[in-house]
Amino acid sequence: MSETSPHRVVLEVWCDLECPDCHRAEADLRALRERFGTTLVIRRRHFPLPRHRHALAAAQAAEEAYAQGRGEEYCAALLARTEELTKRGEPLLAEVAGELGLDAEEVATALIDGRHLLAVDADHAEGQAIGVTGTPTYVIGDERLDGGRSQEGLRERITAIAERLLA
């Protein structure tokens, strides 16, 4: 199926799991999921920012959570605790995995062996190539919307673009 078809539209969300703006954007993503259901495919992409010390590890832990089948839930749970992640760092990553019923030991091992580093780096490189500089950044259709500057009005703009692409 193509990225944008008459029945489905892809919204890519470039995200840093330690970013307070990404935390605030979760409410918009929930509302968009409720509004569009399966016609809007939300694809989370990793863009850990250097100023967030634990973002790279969090992205790798999220990839392991995806490998265990609960990646979206894991990302949402981490984003709900961005302040705690900043304070506590990597111990929180395995703790959240355990709370969600994931194999927390495997999450910790994945951080040590770096098995998901290439996937995270590939997302980051692709984001840089299309001009992502901060998070969250959204790409829908051929439009890039920067949520790092302001969330104001973004949900409405994404809704309008999705409706146009689905029409």
Side-chain angles (χ1 to χ4, degrees):
M1 179 176 275
S2 67
E3 288 292 311
T4 302
S5 74
H7 306 291
R8 288 168 70 123
V9 172
V10 174
L11 171 65
E12 291 189 312
V13 183
W14 301 88
C15 181
D16 171 320
L17 293 170
E18 193 178 347
C19 171
D21 291 327
C22 291
H23 164 81
R24 285 187 284 280
E26 282 297 288
D28 286 340
L29 294 179
R30 269 192 304 279
L32 289 165
R33 279 188 189 97
E34 288 170 18
R35 164 80 177 76
F36 290 99
T38 59
T39 61
L40 182 68
V41 177
I42 297 174
R43 186 178 300 150
R44 208 179 291 269
R45 305 293 299 272
H46 298 293
F47 202 81
L49 299 168
R51 71 176 174 271
H52 294 133
R53 279 191 343 200
H54 308 295
L56 180 59
Q60 292 177 74
E63 280 301 304
E64 179 56 32
Y66 278 109
Q68 293 185 36
R70 308 271 307 269
E72 275 307 305
E73 293 161 87
Y74 186 81
C75 289
L78 271 187
L79 284 166
R81 297 164 78 171
T82 53
E83 270 185 49
E84 190 178 354
L85 178 58
T86 297
K87 288 182 186 130
R88 292 187 50 214
E90 289 189 22
L92 181 67
L93 300 176
E95 187 179 303
V96 169
E99 289 168 6
L100 292 174
L102 295 169
D103 184 337
E105 211 170 286
E106 201 58 35
V107 169
T109 301
L111 293 176
I112 294 165
D113 69 24
R115 71 183 77 155
H116 300 295
L117 195 53
L118 284 176
V120 173
D121 286 348
D123 270 5
H124 196 270
E126 187 179 331
Q128 284 183 309
I130 65 167
V132 174
T133 57
T135 58
T137 296
Y138 305 90
V139 176
I140 182 168
D142 58 357
E143 296 192 50
R144 189 181 80 229
L145 307 168
D146 181 2
R149 289 197 190 98
S150 170
Q151 297 290 319
E152 194 63 41
L154 274 182
R155 185 190 315 173
E156 294 76 15
R157 287 180 62 202
I158 292 168
T159 297
I161 295 166
E163 286 173 345
R164 186 185 77 230
L165 293 171
L166 289 165

